[in-house]
Amino acid sequence: MPALLRSTFVLVMVLLAISRPSLASEATGNGTENTITTLPIVIWKWEEIHFPYLVALWVLVSWLCKLVFQLNPCLTRVIPESGLLICIGWVLGGIIYGADKVQTFRLQPFTFFFYLLPQIVLDAGYSMPNKLFFGNLGAILVYAVIGTCWNAATLGLALWGCWLGGAMGNIDTGLLQLLLFGSLIAAVDPVAVIAVFEEVHVNEVLYILVFGESLLNDGVTVVLFNVFDAFVSLGGAQIDAVEIIKGIISFFVVAVGGSLVGVVFALLISLLTRCTKNIQIIEPGFIFVLGYLSYLTAEMLSLSAILSCTFCGVCCQKYINANMDERSVSTVRSTMKVFANGSETIIFVFLGISAIDPSIWVWNTAFILLTLLFIFVFRFIGVFLLTWILNQYRLVPLDFIDQLVMGYGGLRGAVAYGLVLLLDENKYKEKKLMISTTLIVVYFTVMLQGITMKPLVTWLKVKRAAVSERTLAEKIQNRTFDHMLVAIEDISGQIGDNYMRDKWNNFEEKWLYWLLMTPIARKSCDPIFNIFHKLNIKDATSYVKEGERRGSLAFVRNESKADVDFNKKFGADFSEMMPYIMTENMGPDHVPVSSILRDSVPSVCLDMHEQDLKMRESEDFDAHHLLQQHLYKGRKQHRHRYSRKHLEVNKDEHEVQEIFQRTMRSRLESFKSAKMGVAPPKKISKHLKKDQPQKMPNGKSADTSKSHAYGDEDLEFSEGDSASGCEAAGGSFPMRAYRGAGIVNPAFMAEMDTMDPMPPMQQIPSWLAEAEVDSSNMVPSQRAQLRLPWTPSNLRRLAPLCLSTHSNDSFLLADSPATQEGISELPPPPPPQDGQGQGTHK
Amino acid sequence: MGSTNSTLSKIPNVEELMQETGFTPAHIVRLYDRFEALDKEKTGHLRPQDFGAINRLAMNPIGDRIIGAFFSPGQETVDFHSFVRILAHFRPADKKHPKDPSMPEPVNSRTSKLKFAFQLYDQDKDGKISRAELLQVLRSMLEMQVTEEQLESIADRTIQEADLDKDDAISFEEFRKSLEKVNIDHKMSIRFLR
């Protein structure tokens, strides 16, 4: 806590130091620019930038506050973050007020509704668990619409009753004004609710009910607010049955219309992402811009902007996640979170700051206390009543404890505060009282209920969210259940939820997928296949990680079937089995996890790999030695190219192509020469020559590559030797041995590093030549000979991202050296390729 | 109420049936109407063809398996009692009446629901879901979107996940274990049968 205070204090001082001169200089005005007498070297331009500067500073301050909280986990465990942020707001507000004697910073309704709220709503919609949401949509709507109306009406009427009874003393208000006040404070606030409920992990049905309700009832409350505001403007006398009916119609039009606007925008986004394949960089941008536009458009049409934005997020998520590149999806996700979390933080801090301003406070004990009491009581009554009705129809009834938590989770928040600020002081004489009451209600619910929520949930033993690990079996079974229920409904002749869902699914598959998804995405959108894919990726990642941890990837390239085998073996409890197998089975208590050989293909158990691991280790050492000697240094380890259009700055398409060309050519040649039995002496001399610079490194290259013994060799070759062309070109992969491609390549590097592209017909088998030079090379290169070559499909299995699609072409090119030269002469050769071009031509 | 009673009186042993399945008279009447509607030839028995006449069922990828589940082995027809008994699997478990240990396990318990699901896979009734059986179901559910090779690896993987005794098949016990975290009562219940 002291650390927290210190850091915030420093920040605020900085802030004030900057804002001080602004107040002073604003008075002196703009005349300075014309009256310069000499050329200024630097000028103080605070006035010009003070607005964005302050915004940025506020964001920074609130985030730093958050950072400080997270350093004190014991604090956040007791008090929810939202409450802490409000406290910080009080402290900051106090400091500012103490310095300025007036509250300079205030949450403006416009800022709140147009810059802070949209991203929160969009994020909530976008990350909404879709199936759960639509499965419980009926209940959510009942709570959100009827519940909110109930809250608004009862609070307004009850306050009115008390006011008539004279409990509040002399305040200037009326039934309509109190109903308006009731409607603005009726809504449960998503920001506050999410902030609290995210920390207590209640079961998913309860979560979605509270979350969905809080999200949708914001829309409802804004609509109610507008209707009652219009009624107040009309004045009590003007209101007749027609106006009331109009109000009700307008309520539905605004709410439904807003949702429709959202759906339309969701369709637009999905359609757009269908064709953004070539501009992946701005792909995520579309989501934000269109999401924001859906908010603004609805606002422009005076429809419910919050509902619009929510539905936009909810409806588009499935399609855009399928359409977009995986990276874009994670970009959208994290950026959305950054925005939402950021503005949430700012909102709470400002809710705190706003309180430190004597000019807004009007105290009326009865009004405030009665409001608090009524809000609390009517929320519970409403929840119990509505749940009782819903339970008559629900498959899984909500139990009493769930209802209690729902009722208790009725936190009010920033939306109420934003709305109350919108009130016109001329019409509402008691605006200040309403503001104070709203603030008190917000503080009370967020702080008190927020703090007590977690103990309450624990104490009541609310069903928590089950941590379900997604397994294929579950997914498949879920699918079967769905089909089963539909079939049973058909047989028993009922039109139930499952029937409707099935209808919708069919419709979606038939039309929406066709319309909104790219053909590729359509194929992979099957949930079962999806989870299969994810599990496989997870396996591959931990597989490689594990290999890395052991310091060698030898086992990966051991057999071409290793990966298939791996899947079979580690399919089950992967996370538990993996470390066990990897670490334990070297020891005596090795439990063989029998691999299942059900295919005709020869698959090799991983435990066999393990058994000869020790032998392999020595071989690995040889291999390393060999690689050290004979691999050429990469042209460059990374090629830093800045591009605003592409993410893959360091990906070299040619590299992959070269690898395959080389492999295929060397195989072809060794095959040819073995067949013809030609072994020209030229080759050997070349190798002797090659070894020379390596043994006595010359000064010329020593400085460029100190750590790599063969670095100078590389130089030597690219400058003088004809053999080095493509060898130097592909040499970068020992450096990347942890990447997908790198895993494989060392296996055949030993074999091909001796190959010479120039006289293809007169070459001895490479490993023979090698043997004459250095007998220690024999072992690995023979191993390389025995091993099946890696096919591109194998490669891609392990490294889908590293390899370019060009790799296939290299097969076609491999057997003709002429084409290879052609490639090396491609018109704009990137710098590293120059070396290759030179080498080949000399 | 009168029509309810008159329908109920047509069904023999209706009390016993209600006791066994936990259905209310309203449910029984509703199901009886449906049964008669399906039973076009008014024989009092349903044949597989009668189920086949339900249009939407034909579109269901595992529809024929569901139909098959209504017919006990060797039998060509199903009468109303068995019909109701099968449907009773899909009645939500009632929370209000805690389980009476002396009573036989109700037909809508978790285990019997799972058994029903299990036998949809286990077509040769050997108590095990073999790879081929799983593959069949997968093929019908995933059709066209996935290649045969992918299908096979999905099946392999699924078996791997569930297979504890490494016999390359999923026994009922393993099946139950693999779905331990799934709330079967939610997934295998139909609202209107409540």
Side-chain angles (χ1 to χ4, degrees), chain A residues 34 56 131 150 166 211 235 251 254 260 265 295 336 379 436 453 467 560 605 625 673 697 706-707 725 786:
Chain A
N34 300 328
K131 197 178 173 189
W150 158 268
F211 182 32
F251 175 86
V254 169
L260 279 181
F265 269 89
Y295 188 90
M336 202 88 96
R379 164 85 186 166
S436 335
M453 180 60 96
V467 228
S560 58
C605 319
H625 182 64
S673 52
K706 280 172 191 151
S707 55
L786 292 171

Side-chain angles (χ1 to χ4, degrees), chain A residues 626 663 666-667 670 746-755 766-767 770 781 784-785:
Chain A
L626 177 96
T663 323
S666 78
R667 276 179 208 294
S670 58
F748 48 74
M749 283 311 281
E751 175 186 23
M752 86 195 40
D753 58 355
T754 59
M755 141 221 102
S766 48
W767 49 276
E770 204 62 40
S781 48
Q785 285 285 322

Side-chain angles (χ1 to χ4, degrees), chain B residues 150-162:
Chain B
Q150 287 167 330
L151 218 56
E152 275 175 28
S153 37
I154 291 179
D156 284 343
R157 206 179 159 135
T158 314
I159 291 188
Q160 209 97 64
E161 272 175 6

Side-chain angles (χ1 to χ4, degrees), chain A residues 109-171:
Chain A
F110 187 82
T111 319
F112 174 72
F113 281 109
F114 288 95
Y115 300 129
L116 293 175
L117 191 59
Q119 55 262 46
I120 295 180
V121 178
L122 187 65
D123 173 62
Y126 179 73
S127 45
M128 177 87 72
N130 244 345
K131 197 178 173 189
L132 210 55
F133 178 72
F134 285 111
N136 293 294
L137 189 61
I140 291 172
L141 281 179
V142 167
Y143 287 122
V145 179
I146 304 177
T148 308
C149 293
W150 158 268
N151 281 349
T154 48
L155 179 66
L157 289 174
L159 284 179
W160 183 59
C162 295
W163 176 69
L164 281 186
M168 293 168 197
N170 189 19
I171 56 174

Side-chain angles (χ1 to χ4, degrees), chain A residues 393-394 491 502 568 598, chain B residues 34 160 168 191 194:
Chain A
Y393 299 100
R394 280 182 72 83
I491 288 173
D502 193 49
K568 288 180 184 169
R598 65 169 68 84
Chain B
R34 180 63 180 168
Q160 209 97 64
D168 203 7
R191 192 160 53 86
R194 193 171 144 222

Side-chain angles (χ1 to χ4, degrees), chain A residues 391-397 467-469 471-474 476-481 483-494 497-499 502-503 506 523 526 528-529 532 535-536 539 567-572 596 598-599, chain B residues 30-31 34 38 51 54 56-57 59-62 66 70 83 87 90 92 95 114 116-117 120-121 131 138 141-142 145-146 150 153-154 156-161 166 168 175 178-179 181-182 184 186-192 194:
Chain A
N391 271 350
Q392 306 298 309
Y393 299 100
R394 280 182 72 83
L395 173 64
V396 189
V467 228
S468 99
E469 205 186 334
T471 60
L472 260 183
E474 279 180 20
I476 290 172
Q477 200 48 49
N478 274 347
R479 177 73 74 88
T480 328
F481 285 144
H483 286 308
M484 208 189 302
L485 293 185
V486 175
I488 294 295
E489 280 194 355
D490 287 337
I491 288 173
S492 50
Q494 299 291 326
D497 319 333
N498 298 297
Y499 174 84
D502 193 49
K503 269 273 187 212
N506 284 342
K523 250 177 216 151
D526 188 276
I528 292 182
F529 186 68
F532 177 67
L535 287 171
N536 274 347
D539 281 2
N567 268 343
K568 288 180 184 169
K569 276 165 63 64
F570 297 102
I596 300 149
R598 65 169 68 84
D599 293 342
Chain B
R30 198 191 270 175
L31 292 177
R34 180 63 180 168
L38 288 177
F51 286 103
I54 306 170
R56 293 187 42 83
L57 203 55
M59 280 156 55
N60 197 315
I62 55 168
I66 306 268
F70 278 86
F83 181 75
L87 288 179
F90 293 90
K95 295 216 171 68
L114 276 175
F116 185 86
L120 290 184
Y121 289 96
R131 182 171 179 267
L138 279 177
M141 286 200 306
L142 284 168
Q145 293 149 335
V146 184
Q150 287 167 330
S153 37
I154 291 179
D156 284 343
R157 206 179 159 135
T158 314
I159 291 188
Q160 209 97 64
E161 272 175 6
K166 305 287 166 215
D168 203 7
F175 183 72
S178 74
L179 296 176
K181 286 176 190 149
V182 180
I184 300 296
H186 294 188
K187 299 270 181 194
M188 262 187 79
S189 297
I190 291 179
R191 192 160 53 86
F192 71 88
R194 193 171 144 222

Side-chain angles (χ1 to χ4, degrees), chain B residues 25-176:
Chain B
H27 284 138
I28 297 281
V29 170
R30 198 191 270 175
L31 292 177
Y32 190 74
D33 289 345
R34 180 63 180 168
F35 185 82
E36 291 206 310
L38 288 177
D39 182 17
K40 297 231 168 53
E41 288 154 31
K42 307 290 167 212
T43 55
H45 293 278
L46 291 183
R47 291 160 304 138
Q49 302 89 284
D50 294 324
F51 286 103
I54 306 170
N55 273 336
R56 293 187 42 83
L57 203 55
M59 280 156 55
N60 197 315
I62 55 168
D64 49 345
R65 283 162 192 270
I66 306 268
I67 297 172
F70 278 86
F71 298 92
S72 42
Q75 295 239 304
E76 286 298 304
T77 56
V78 56
D79 62 0
F80 181 66
H81 283 67
S82 326
F83 181 75
V84 172
R85 267 186 218 113
I86 298 290
L87 288 179
H89 282 109
F90 293 90
R91 199 170 66 82
D94 24 27
K95 295 216 171 68
K96 278 171 196 156
H97 315 289
K99 217 169 26 177
D100 187 358
S102 65
M103 291 279 285
E105 188 144 20
V107 74
N108 60 349
S109 71
R110 181 186 166 89
T111 312
S112 39
K113 276 173 197 273
L114 276 175
K115 276 214 169 97
F116 185 86
F118 184 78
Q119 51 146 355
L120 290 184
Y121 289 96
D122 183 22
Q123 292 286 295
D124 59 5
K125 314 272 177 227
D126 64 347
K128 277 184 172 152
I129 303 175
S130 68
R131 182 171 179 267
E133 283 167 341
L134 183 63
L135 209 53
Q136 266 180 6
V137 177
L138 279 177
R139 198 175 291 135
S140 58
M141 286 200 306
L142 284 168
E143 35 196 349
M144 70 189 188
Q145 293 149 335
V146 184
T147 65
E148 187 69 12
E149 195 179 307
Q150 287 167 330
L151 218 56
E152 275 175 28
S153 37
I154 291 179
D156 284 343
R157 206 179 159 135
T158 314
I159 291 188
Q160 209 97 64
E161 272 175 6
D163 193 11
L164 299 174
D165 56 6
K166 305 287 166 215
D167 62 347
D168 203 7
I170 304 176
S171 67
F172 179 66
E173 200 51 36
E174 289 163 350
F175 183 72
R176 210 168 53 115

